[in-house]
Each structure stands twice: as C-alpha cells, then as structure tokens.
Amino acid sequence: MTTAIILVLVALGSVLFHILSPWWWTPIASNWGYIDHTINLTFWITGFVFTAIILFTAYCVFRFRHQPGRQAIYNPENKRLEWWLTIGTAVGVGALLAPGLFVWDQFVTVPKGASEVEVIAQQWQWNFRLPGEDGRLGASDTRNVSSSNPLGLNPNDPNGRDDVVIEGDALHLPLGKPVKLLLRSIDVVHSFYVPEFRAKMDLVPGVVTYVWFTPTRTGTFETLCTELCGAAHYNMRAKVVVEEASEYQAWVRKQKTFAQLSARTRQAKGTQ
Amino acid sequence: MVDTTIGAAGVIQPAEVKDVELYHPKSWVTKYVFCQDAKVIAIQYAITALGIGLVALVLSWLIRLQLAFPSSFSAIGPTDYLQFITMHGMIMVIYLLTALFLGGFGNYLIPLMVGARDMVFPYVNMLSYWVYLLAVLVLVASFFMPGGPTGAGWTLYPPQAILSGTPGQDWGIILMLASLILFIIGFTMGGLNYVVTVLQARTRGMTMMRLPLTVWGIFMATVLALLAFPALFVGCVMMLFDRILGTSFFMPAIVEMGQHLKYGGGSPLLFQHLFWFFGHPEVYIVALPAFGIVSDLISTHARKNIFGYRMMVWAIIVIGALSFLVWAHHMYVSGMNPYFGFYFATTTLVIAIPTAIKVYNWVLTLWRGDIHLTVPMLFALSFIVTFVNGGLTGLFLGNPVVDVPLSDTMFVVAHFHMVMGMAPIFVIFGAIYHWYPKVTGRMMNEALGQFHFWVSFLGAYAIYFPMHYLGLLGVPRRYFEMGDMAFIPQSATTLNIFITMAALTVGFAQMVFLFNLIWSLFWGKPAGSNPWRATTLEWQTPETPPGHGNWGKELPVVYRWAYDYSVPGAKEDFVPQNQPPTPRAA
C-alpha cells in the first residue's frame, strides 16, 4: 500500500516539478525556436509515457500485492498485445524522429548569403576573425602561429591582410543576419556554446567545423566552452554582443586588421 | 507457445559428453586465494569491485561538496575537481559496474544456472581475476604518483588527455591507459569463459530458450564486450604511443601555450570514434545483465512467469546488435560530418522500440501477479522507475537537434546517472539481497534492507531528477564552478545545495548496506536452500552454499523453462526446472 502511494507520488511529483520548476531554458536569441518546439514535443510524449507506466506499476503493486490466498495467473505470452504495444511505440518514436530530422536538416544547411566569422579557440581563450572589406577570410594554419600572429594566418595570402583579428575580446554580431561560424582550434578540442542561441559545435584541432544561426535579439550573451579542455575549462568564456547594423559597423571600424597588427609588431621589434 | 515443458514424449537425450573432473584444491591458498572455482572467483571480483567502488563513492561526495559550496573548500582546486570526476566516472563504469555484473554475477550464476559444474576454463578464469586486480592496483597507484591521476574526463579525449593543460599528464594518463589495457586483457579471459560455458556446458534439457533471462543478459553483454573492448584497447595503445613515443595517431599540429609541439597529421576525431564504438555498447554491457537479472527478480517475487519470454530474449539480442550501430550519437556536435546525424538519429531511436518492449513486459509481469514486496522486489520497482525515466531522456539526447543545446550540460549527467548509474546499481542491490542467502546460507536483515532501499531510491531520484533542469537552463558539465554567469539564477545554487544534501544522505545509506552485508554473514537468519521458493537451478543445489562442483554426484536434468510460477493445478506456486513432469491424467 505505502509502496504504491509512494510510486504515485514520484510520478505526480515529477510532473509537478516540471510545471513549477523555475529552472528552464533561457529566453531564445536566435532563429532556433524549432529546437525549443522539438524539446517541448519530446517532453509531452515522454512525460505521458513516464506517468502512464509508473501509475500502471503503482496500480499493479496495490491491486496485486500479496494477500493470503492470492494466486498469480499463468499466461506466458500474448502475441496480440505485444504487437500492439510494439506498433504503438514505433509510432511514438516516429513522431519524435520525423520533426527532429526535419529540423536537423535546417541546422546543417547554411543559407546562402550567411556572413562568415571564424572562431579560433585555444587554452583558455576565445579569438575571432572577420573577413574584412574583401569579404574573404585568408588562409590559415596552426603551423603559422607565433606571438605576432596568434591565429596562424598565412602572411603571404592577400585575402588575409584586411581580416579583422579579435584576440581574447568580445565578438559583435549584427542583428537579424545569418552568420556561419567557422570553428578552429590550435590546441585541444573545445566547444562553442551560447545558451541563448541554442547552437553548439566542437572546435577540433586539425579541421574546420561550422555552425550557423541568425541572432534575433540584441544584447550581450556569454560563450562557454562545453568540451573539457583542461584545468581552466570552467573559466573559458567570452562575450558575444548582438547589436543593430549601424552600431555593428562602428564597432568593426574600430578593430585592427591583420596587416595593421603585423606592421605594429614589426615596428615594435624595430625600436628594440 | 513457449517451450515450457519437455514435450509430449518426455524424453531427455542422454549426455553427449562425459562429466569432467575438476581440479580440487589441496590447500588453503588454492581454495581461497588462487582459486579456480567460479563461485570463489565471483566473490573475489565482487569484493574488489565494491572496494574500488567505495573510492568512487567518496569522490562523488567531494564532487558534490564542491558544486554546492564552490568557494568553501580551499583543498579542492580546479585540477583536483577534474581528477575527481574522471576517476569517479571511470571506476563506476569499468571497474565497478562491468566487473561486478560480468566477473561477479556472471561467474557465480552462469555455471549454477545452466547446470554446469564450473566454467569451462577454470584456470583462465582464475587468471582473469588476478589480471583485473592488477588493473585496479595500477589505477589506484595513479593516485599516489607525482601529478596525481588523470583529469582528462572518463572519455579521455585527446589531445587534452596527454597535454600539460590537463592534470595527471606525467603519470596519471599513462597509468590510466595501462590499467584499461590490463582490464581488457583480464576481461577477455573471463569473457571467453562465460560465452563458451553458456554455449557448451549447459546441462541436459537446458535449451537456449529455457535459459533464465539472467543468463541471457550476461551472455549477450559478454558477447558485446568481447566485440567492443578491442576498439578501446587499440585506442588506448595508440594514445599511449602518442604520449610516450611521440607518434601522432590522434595529434594534429598543435601550439600549446605558445609552443609548437612535435605532433602533426593525426585525428582527434578518430579517437572519439574508437572510444564510442566501445562506449555505446558499454552502456548495454552494463544494462543487459541488469535487464536479465531484474526479469528474474520480478518474476520470482511476483510469483508469476515473466511475460513474453521469447520477446524478451529477442529484445536482448536485437538491442545487442543495434548497440553497435549507434555510437556516433555521442558525437552529434563533435565536428564530424553533420550528415551522419540522420543515420545515427534513426538507429538510436529505433533501439527505443525493443527497449520499450522489455519495460512493458516487466510491468505486465506484475499484472495479476502475487506481488511480495521483498527488498529485491522493491529494488526491481526502483529499477523500473529510474530506467524508464533515464530511457525516456535518452530520446531527447538521441534526437540531434535536441541534443545540440543539451549536449555536455548537466542534462546529460542526469540522464546517464539515471539510466546507467542508478538503474543498474539498484538491480545490483536487488540481486545481492536476492542471492546473498545462496552465497552465504543466511538472509540479509530485512529492516536494514528496507531502510537502505527507501533512502537510496528516493534520495537518488531527488538527486538526478532536478539535475536535468539545470542542464535545460544551460549549465555545462565538468565545470569546477559556475562563476558569475549572467544566465544562471541564484536559485541554481540553492538547487545544487539540495542535490548535495541528498547525495550525502544516499551515501550514508550505503554504509548501512555494507554493515548489513557483514552483520548478516554472522547473525543473519539461516536461509535454507531455497528461501524465495524459486524455480531456477541455483536454488536446487544439494548444498547451500553450493560446494565445489555445484551438484554432488549427478548433474541436474532440466525438464521445463525457468518460469513455472503459479502453474494451475500444481501443488506449490513454483515448479523447479529440474522437476520431472508428472504424467497427466488423460
């Protein structure tokens, strides 16, 4: 009896906790509202199944608990029931999978005209690079990395000379424009995650990965590293500022290009 | 209809091979230390696994204390924290769960349940334990080496696992990899034994479709392990080479803290594929024995045949096969080609179907049963709750778009603790309360068992259910502290303190369990040979605890399946598998 009541309380308590929980996802700031919808759908389907199974178990525990004279029935199997349950489950699984795959297709397909921004991770700092006025990112390689060229740009690639280099500082993004992040790491695996954007992708040394989204809300958000990258993993953060196009342009103009940074280092070396 | 009895003719085939003579121990050392009896090896495995499991339990307290009170413990730094989580995870998954289910329960139950005298290769079986013990000792040694154990996370992703930004770069990672290699060698010796014993040493009448589901679960899990561990083995060897010899299997060109390293051309993703090709089947290596055992616990204590036995067997086989096709669902955001997501999402969600069938059949076994709420039954019920909960959150993470925001957050931590932490551990507890009388001849104390159960079950649920919501909020895992992140409200800290309190309480209850384990050895109620009135062969041994060779002079002969409970017209509510059929009146 007590056991059955506690099982009911566990089921209903879980539902109640879900409804009353003050811990919930952050207000979204990107186009990935579909992801939230899919999570909600998943909560509905799984929540229903969970509650149904636990309540049924509780009922059995109460109704068929041992009492003097009770004998269990003997029924090794019931083909019909087993097939119906299998088909029902398959339908439920399909209902989760189909929208999931539909949204995943959008997630991996970058729209034409998305602007490119490179994210370069290192222990334990975020760096960024914008394509500059020519709209093209210059070639880069971890082997080119030096103190005067922390992102490893190829100094001989003309496309890279006007690239904007942001070292260990905030990234700004214009509101409402799709952006494709090209992700690169020069040491270990990191992961780029902004909770409000919902998007997340690992940065793997040796390859370039990508993720895309459209910022839909102005504000300052926090980028976290979500792949264990060593002792200061928990502290590897950066700000991402989403702002109106005009403010964004003003910010870009204040940033230094690769050519400017290289010239400055050369000068500094010359005066020594 | 299920093959429940011997059939119309009632003829049992004569034995095809002669009974083999076992090695008989001649001294105390060969009887209790370097012993070839699977039952003693099982106990050795179990004690070692529980012992190292205590280390993991203490580590979990330290992890939880740090998360609840981030600035209160000057002795716990960020590197210590990473070492705690790494060793806690590795010990729990490999050295406790895998070893206890297969080395512990597998060794004890397989020969007894299939009606064999021992494992087919007793000497190799003995060796298996000693290599396992060596693996554990190497693991423990890493705590005492300069730099301490590795803090690379239990997934050991390179390049960070072998670079200086991660604690334990000197010795920790080397000993970790060496210990895993040893573990796999030891496991392979035991694993071959379990598989061959099930296939070759079943007694007369014990067809595959009459095996208790416990044996099916352990058997299939062992097959998976024998196929999956080699991937981890080569991964460990290659990483060891990268670390010691400077090869670049997993290491591309790297600039670490401004220094160009002498690596180049390797692929970090290759390791992730190898790791998860092992890592996903590993989930089922732990889960399948739990599935099998819990089926038998439910059936015995509800005095009812398991519902849909054949479907249960096929579900175990199908889950085992599918578990090799889903590994990269751990890698949706790893940077692998994102189009793999379509394939891995589909296979992953398909595996939910046979798994759901198992859940339905457990619950339907309770339906119109005669449910005795013994401690093993209570633990079986708590398994259903935690497994259903953790299995359903798996449907979130198996769906790539849902996984994107949740991956590497506390949601994942809550999910896998529920489904492959709590659920299998509750089965282990249930199984220990269930078979303890056979192993020792005495019952465990019921009152202490009830206390242990209620605190563990409700406490564990209070730990892991709310934890999902921290992950939904976006709190990442493997974070030494949350710091002052704008999106995390103050109340998250309150929740963390609550979770820690629950964790410490559950930890305390485990001390009660250990006390019960030892106390009952001396003062428990004498059990008799079959206290649960169960049908399977291990309860029908001539001696309790079973002697060397298990069966006395004659091997048992099996006439029916393992689930003849409450058969209409039978004198008792159970008919042992080795009871000959009575001629029916025409």
Side-chain angles (χ1 to χ4, degrees):
Chain A
M1 187 70 188
T2 327
T3 311
I5 292 171
I6 291 175
L7 285 175
V8 171
L9 289 179
V10 165
L12 298 183
S14 303
V15 174
L16 213 61
F17 184 95
H18 177 82
I19 296 168
L20 298 178
S21 166
W23 305 287
W24 195 244
W25 56 51
T26 48
I28 194 163
S30 80
N31 58 318
W32 293 124
Y34 273 136
I35 290 183
D36 289 0
H37 299 326
T38 317
I39 296 181
N40 259 333
L41 174 72
T42 315
F43 262 122
W44 276 103
I45 295 181
T46 56
F48 172 77
V49 173
F50 177 74
T51 317
I53 291 178
I54 305 307
L55 289 181
F56 183 79
T57 307
Y59 173 75
C60 290
V61 168
F62 166 70
R63 177 73 180 69
F64 306 110
R65 68 189 184 281
H66 174 68
Q67 284 165 326
R70 177 180 300 288
Q71 193 183 18
I73 60 152
Y74 187 77
N75 70 327
E77 46 191 33
N78 180 339
K79 277 263 146 336
R80 221 161 134 76
L81 177 62
E82 290 178 70
W83 278 114
W84 274 117
L85 286 171
T86 308
I87 292 165
T89 310
V91 170
V93 165
L96 294 176
L97 184 61
L101 293 185
F102 175 73
V103 184
W104 183 247
D105 186 47
Q106 300 186 334
F107 190 80
V108 301
T109 313
V110 184
K112 284 203 187 87
S115 55
E116 292 192 339
V117 174
E118 191 184 50
V119 183
I120 306 99
Q122 69 186 81
Q123 286 172 328
W124 290 279
Q125 177 180 310
W126 296 100
N127 307 306
F128 305 98
R129 180 159 66 117
L130 310 177
E133 279 166 11
D134 64 355
R136 302 171 74 171
L137 287 164
S140 64
D141 193 312
T142 306
R143 278 168 287 209
N144 298 330
V145 171
S146 67
S147 58
S148 60
N149 184 5
L151 307 188
L153 272 71
N154 183 343
N156 302 321
D157 185 348
N159 289 333
R161 302 199 54 77
D162 64 343
D163 287 1
V164 172
V165 172
I166 301 152
E167 199 191 345
D169 203 354
L171 170 69
H172 289 233
L173 292 173
L175 180 71
K177 271 205 66 162
V179 55
K180 177 185 186 183
L181 299 182
L182 294 162
L183 307 167
R184 210 150 64 74
S185 164
I186 63 167
D187 42 36
V188 304
V189 182
H190 300 274
S191 189
F192 179 92
Y193 177 47
V194 178
E196 288 86 349
F197 293 161
R198 305 292 187 261
K200 177 186 291 150
M201 191 54 72
D202 283 6
L203 301 86
V204 183
V207 294
V208 180
T209 59
Y210 73 89
V211 66
W212 82 273
F213 57 89
T214 308
T216 55
R217 182 157 68 81
T218 57
T220 303
F221 307 104
E222 211 146 10
T223 301
L224 320 170
C225 179
T226 45
E227 189 64 76
L228 179 56
C229 62
H233 169 57
Y234 71 100
N235 217 4
M236 182 171 162
R237 300 189 216 149
K239 295 265 189 288
V240 178
V241 179
V242 178
E243 54 199 1
E244 303 288 349
S246 54
E247 294 168 55
Y248 172 74
Q249 290 305 336
W251 171 79
V252 171
R253 275 195 294 276
K254 275 190 279 182
Q255 305 306 311
K256 295 272 182 294
T257 64
F258 178 59
Q260 285 169 324
L261 284 171
S262 319
R264 203 166 56 180
T265 355
R266 267 201 301 278
Q267 261 174 8
K269 271 189 188 150
T271 55
Q272 266 174 6
Chain B
M1 200 60 199
V2 182
D3 176 26
T4 52
T5 55
I6 191 62
V11 181
I12 288 284
Q13 300 293 321
E16 287 173 31
V17 287
K18 265 201 222 124
D19 205 353
V20 283
E21 186 58 28
L22 296 171
Y23 167 85
H24 292 293
K26 297 177 188 67
S27 67
W28 188 84
V29 172
T30 46
K31 193 164 181 191
Y32 294 108
V33 184
F34 295 104
C35 179
Q36 301 185 22
D37 185 332
K39 297 187 293 298
V40 176
I41 296 171
I43 293 164
Q44 291 172 328
Y45 254 112
I47 290 174
T48 311
L50 290 175
I52 193 71
L54 279 179
V55 176
L57 181 65
V58 172
L59 290 174
S60 76
W61 296 341
L62 298 174
I63 294 168
R64 280 315 317 176
L65 284 173
Q66 167 60 27
L67 287 176
F69 311 103
S71 44
S72 309
F73 299 95
S74 52
I76 306 177
T79 53
D80 303 307
Y81 180 77
L82 292 181
Q83 291 169 324
F84 296 164
I85 58 165
T86 304
M87 297 317 267
H88 168 78
M90 197 60 100
I91 290 173
M92 291 305 292
V93 173
I94 308 276
Y95 300 87
L96 173 64
L97 286 170
T98 308
L100 188 51
F101 268 125
L102 303 181
F105 288 104
N107 263 316
Y108 202 90
L109 295 174
I110 289 174
L112 280 167
M113 282 186 148
V114 305
R117 294 212 179 272
D118 205 324
M119 290 287 180
V120 286
F121 312 121
Y123 185 84
V124 179
N125 206 26
M126 172 187 80
L127 223 49
S128 159
Y129 169 72
W130 291 100
V131 178
Y132 163 65
L133 181 65
L134 186 62
V136 171
L137 293 177
V138 170
L139 182 84
V140 170
S142 72
F143 281 92
F144 303 100
M145 298 306 274
T150 179
W154 87 279
T155 47
L156 301 177
Y157 279 9
Q160 56 94 17
I162 58 174
L163 294 185
S164 61
T166 298
Q169 192 226 9
D170 303 331
W171 282 102
I173 186 66
I174 294 177
L175 292 181
M176 181 78 255
L177 296 170
S179 171
L180 284 172
I181 289 170
L182 284 170
F183 180 92
I184 296 167
I185 293 170
F187 169 76
T188 307
M189 298 183 197
L192 290 171
N193 250 308
Y194 315 151
V195 170
V196 179
T197 303
V198 171
L199 292 177
Q200 293 288 319
R202 301 189 311 277
T203 189
R204 284 185 294 156
M206 181 62 92
T207 60
M208 288 301 275
M209 289 313 262
R210 280 182 183 168
L211 285 175
L213 286 167
T214 296
V215 176
W216 263 112
I218 294 173
F219 170 71
M220 203 60 204
T222 310
V223 172
L224 296 192
L226 288 171
L227 296 173
F229 270 120
L232 180 66
F233 188 89
V234 293
C236 288
V237 171
M238 287 153 88
M239 206 200 296
L240 211 51
F241 284 179
D242 282 3
R243 169 66 184 76
I244 297 175
L245 304 179
T247 55
S248 290
F249 288 109
F250 305 131
M251 306 296 277
I254 287 171
V255 179
E256 190 199 23
M257 315 282 171
Q259 300 293 316
H260 284 264
L261 303 183
K262 286 186 184 126
Y263 291 115
S267 163
L269 281 178
L270 173 61
F271 178 83
Q272 297 185 19
H273 281 293
L274 287 171
F275 183 86
W276 289 115
F277 187 82
F278 144 77
H280 197 80
E282 169 63 28
V283 175
Y284 292 97
I285 292 166
V286 172
L288 291 182
F291 290 175
I293 289 172
V294 85
S295 306
D296 287 355
L297 295 186
I298 291 175
S299 171
T300 305
H301 296 270
R303 315 307 298 160
K304 190 170 159 232
N305 64 280
I306 194 78
F307 181 77
Y309 172 82
R310 280 189 299 181
M311 202 71 139
M312 293 298 253
V313 170
W314 282 111
I316 286 178
I317 295 170
V318 169
I319 290 170
L322 283 175
S323 75
F324 281 99
L325 306 176
V326 300
W327 76 90
H329 68 209
H330 298 269
M331 299 169 62
Y332 289 141
V333 294
S334 70
M336 68 172 179
N337 187 328
Y339 287 91
F340 282 151
F342 293 103
Y343 164 77
F344 284 106
T346 309
T347 51
T348 300
L349 266 67
V350 166
I351 217 171
I353 300 171
T355 312
I357 291 172
K358 298 201 70 82
V359 173
Y360 301 145
N361 286 4
W362 290 320
V363 179
L364 287 170
T365 302
L366 295 173
W367 174 252
R368 301 186 67 184
D370 173 20
I371 300 171
H372 294 245
L373 289 172
T374 55
V375 178
M377 180 52 127
L378 290 173
F379 273 109
L381 292 173
S382 70
F383 163 83
I384 293 179
V385 174
T386 49
F387 183 74
V388 170
N389 191 291
L392 289 169
T393 52
L395 291 173
F396 287 70
L397 299 170
N399 215 346
V401 282
V402 179
D403 181 64
V404 167
L406 297 179
S407 174
D408 273 297
T409 66
M410 293 306 274
F411 190 96
V412 176
V413 176
H415 157 72
F416 69 70
H417 274 92
M418 199 73 108
V419 79
M420 88 170 288
M422 292 311 113
I425 286 172
F426 287 155
V427 173
I428 285 176
F429 285 137
I432 290 176
Y433 285 98
H434 182 78
W435 277 295
Y436 189 89
K438 181 50 64 176
V439 179
T440 66
R442 291 179 185 274
M443 307 295 286
M444 286 183 76
N445 183 289
E446 169 87 13
L448 291 178
Q450 291 266 354
F451 174 82
H452 173 225
F453 166 75
W454 286 111
V455 176
S456 300
F457 170 47
L458 296 176
Y461 199 78
I463 295 170
Y464 295 111
F465 187 76
M467 194 185 282
H468 290 91
Y469 291 81
L470 287 178
L472 204 60
L473 178 66
V475 179
R477 69 190 281 210
R478 292 169 166 172
Y479 263 38
F480 169 66
E481 58 181 26
M482 293 188 292
D484 52 352
M485 285 185 245
F487 73 93
I488 299 177
Q490 194 55 41
S491 60
T493 309
T494 317
L495 182 56
N496 260 328
I497 293 172
F498 169 79
I499 292 175
T500 296
M501 292 306 163
L504 294 177
T505 313
V506 171
F508 164 72
Q510 308 321 305
M511 300 303 118
V512 175
F513 167 71
L514 288 180
F515 172 77
N516 194 355
L517 215 51
I518 295 164
W519 185 87
S520 304
L521 198 57
F522 302 101
W523 296 285
K525 223 168 47 186
S529 70
N530 190 1
W532 308 116
R533 301 153 54 79
T535 57
T536 41
L537 288 182
E538 80 276 22
W539 300 104
Q540 325 303 334
T541 53
E543 299 166 79
T544 297
H548 189 56
N550 294 347
W551 305 106
K553 265 206 177 119
E554 289 284 322
L555 282 172
V557 176
V558 168
Y559 297 93
R560 61 193 74 241
W561 71 332
Y563 300 99
D564 264 348
Y565 288 103
S566 305
V567 180
K571 242 185 285 168
E572 303 252 25
D573 68 352
F574 72 108
V575 188
Q577 281 190 279
N578 60 343
Q579 182 171 311
T582 41
R584 286 234 178 94

